[in-house]
Amino acid sequence: MVLFRIDPNWQLPERAATSESAFLNRRQFLRAIGAAGLTIAAAPLLGCQATAKAPGVAATLEESLDLPPVRGFNTNPNFTEAGLDRPLTDRLLAGQYNNFYEYGGTKSIWPKAQNLVTNPWTLTVGGLAKNPAIYDQDELIRKFPLEERIYRFRCVEAWSMAVPWLGFPMRLILEAAEPLPEAKYVRFVSYYDPDVTPGPNVFSGFYPWPYTEALRLDEMANDLAFFAVGIYGRVLPKQHGAPIRAVIPWKYGFKGAKSIVKIEFTAEQPPTFWNTVQANEYGFESNVDPKVPHPRWSQSRERFIGTGPDLSWEMRETLPYNGYGEYVASLYS
Ligand SMILES: Nc1nc2c(c(=O)[nH]1)N[C@H]1C(S)=C(S)[C@@H](COP(=O)(O)O)O[C@H]1N2
Ligand SMILES: [Mo]
């Protein structure tokens, strides 16, 4: 019998507020010392070698985002900046305001996420499929024609952003894999290694690692369901779920598993991470719906973040299906 329950920080409005003030303090601190250069220069003097990063591991936010540009992608005319009802979120903010529980229970996980090794990477596609396959990192970027899609992104915590993803529709993996007739669901498994992805400090063992998510196959086949391998014109940064993550823009953000190592076709609905932790708060379907409150807060409005590099936001009405009803409502009628 479970006598107590540990809530992740991000579920709690009051503790979310705490982590935001921590975030602001960190930015003020970085500004005060003129970014990390001084930290590195000072380290030998202070003898604090322990904080030094391994060679090749990004030590500053800018470095962590300074990745090769993705070339030769198409712009999807349905999802351009011009057609969006809001500005794009600033890339420096999107890159430091993350949810990635493998690296801790706050928004400021980008430094820890740099420890992930994304090359080599192996993505296995299997389960109930005619053509199981294994993709390495290069194949993920080269095998499928890449598109840019600017999507609204809505977290279940009632904040949102708008970012230009680079990637390909999930449908292309579906067509390549040819699931067997008995396959009804697809499951995504995120990278997990307790040495690299220790989780929040306290009671990490409580969580049902690895992080997994799942969709119905007809949801996966919808044109909007997307695998992102890049963002803001460049290869995906680790904090955003490199080298490949799921983006399902009409659902709450937690449905989009990051740093995927396995895509598996199943006959039964698979258990998923947050749904296992707290089913009544994180439903399997979790389509964005302003009329269905989270048990602990309203979902009718959202904090749209990042109209500048600092953590500023404006309040917006939340849209049914996050504004994508014309593409997806028929899946649920
Ligand atoms: N593996 C994994 N994937 C994850 C999460 C996570 O903790 N672990 N968090 C989810 C949540 S709650 C959100 S809102 C988005 C955040 O994506 P971003 O940090 O790139 O904006 O990632 C989703 N995917
Ligand atoms: Mo989220």
Side-chain angles (χ1 to χ4, degrees):
M1 186 170 76
V2 179
L3 293 174
F4 63 93
R5 178 165 67 83
I6 310 299
D7 283 312
N9 277 333
W10 65 254
Q11 295 185 325
L12 299 172
E14 65 272 30
R15 275 197 263 155
T18 308
S19 74
E20 277 157 21
S21 50
F23 165 92
L24 283 171
N25 290 340
R26 199 175 58 76
R27 274 198 66 84
Q28 283 153 6
F29 173 68
L30 285 179
R31 210 178 290 128
I33 64 164
L38 189 61
T39 319
I40 290 162
L45 286 177
L46 302 171
C48 49
Q49 300 294 341
T51 58
K53 291 263 183 190
V57 175
T60 65
L61 176 66
E62 285 72 11
E63 250 176 75
S64 76
L65 303 175
D66 185 19
L67 295 160
V70 173
R71 305 210 185 274
F73 57 83
N74 300 311
T75 303
N76 186 308
N78 292 329
F79 308 107
T80 61
E81 196 170 354
L84 197 67
D85 62 349
R86 58 195 74 189
L88 280 186
T89 293
D90 183 273
R91 65 187 270 276
L92 290 178
L93 182 57
Q96 65 184 292
Y97 190 81
N98 301 102
N99 276 333
F100 207 164
Y101 232 59
E102 284 88 332
Y103 303 102
T106 72
K107 294 284 176 288
S108 310
I109 55 76
W110 74 262
K112 281 199 182 152
Q114 304 315 309
N115 294 325
L116 178 70
V117 175
T118 54
N119 196 6
W121 190 266
T122 307
L123 169 66
T124 307
V125 180
L128 300 171
K130 197 171 143 200
N131 309 316
I134 293 178
Y135 299 99
D136 67 23
Q137 199 199 27
D138 281 357
E139 284 167 329
L140 288 175
I141 296 192
R142 300 224 174 87
K143 183 173 162 84
F144 304 103
L146 296 182
E147 279 180 32
E148 182 172 71
R149 294 206 188 177
I150 296 179
Y151 280 158
R152 287 178 290 274
F153 183 97
R154 174 60 155 81
C155 173
V156 71
E157 299 162 335
W159 58 267
S160 65
M161 56 181 186
V163 296
W165 301 108
L166 286 160
F168 51 89
M170 288 190 183
R171 178 175 31 79
L172 298 184
I173 290 263
L174 198 56
E175 284 164 7
E178 291 189 58
L180 301 176
E182 55 270 36
K184 296 285 181 278
Y185 294 87
V186 61
R187 173 176 183 251
F188 309 108
V189 183
S190 294
Y191 178 89
Y192 178 67
D193 172 347
D195 287 338
V196 181
T197 57
N201 290 338
V202 191
F203 299 117
S204 186
F206 167 80
Y207 293 100
W209 306 114
Y211 194 100
T212 60
E213 257 307 331
L215 297 172
R216 296 183 343 214
L217 275 202
D218 60 337
E219 294 176 321
M220 183 186 190
N222 185 277
D223 184 52
L224 266 61
F226 203 63
F227 286 120
V229 296
I231 192 170
Y232 296 102
R234 291 168 186 265
V235 168
L236 204 61
K238 293 174 183 181
Q239 54 266 47
H240 282 301
I244 181 168
R245 60 91 59 83
V247 180
I248 305 108
W250 71 95
K251 293 181 179 284
Y252 290 118
F254 72 89
K255 292 295 295 179
K258 292 174 157 182
S259 301
I260 298 172
V261 293
K262 197 173 184 187
I263 297 173
E264 194 178 20
F265 298 99
T266 67
E268 307 297 330
Q269 181 182 307
T272 53
F273 186 86
W274 287 117
N275 189 253
T276 302
V277 171
Q278 194 63 17
N280 70 320
E281 301 192 354
Y282 310 104
F284 180 83
E285 193 168 275
S286 279
N287 295 327
V288 176
D289 189 343
K291 294 214 183 71
V292 178
H294 182 280
R296 289 181 282 127
W297 57 83
S298 163
Q299 294 290 28
S300 67
R301 282 151 56 80
E302 63 201 47
R303 287 180 295 129
F304 175 67
I305 63 159
T307 41
D310 292 303
L311 182 56
S312 55
W313 66 78
E314 58 187 49
M315 296 306 294
R316 294 222 162 213
E317 299 293 309
T318 289
L319 307 169
Y321 298 109
N322 203 20
Y324 298 107
E326 65 176 295
Y327 301 97
V328 301
S330 62
L331 287 168
Y332 309 102
S333 55

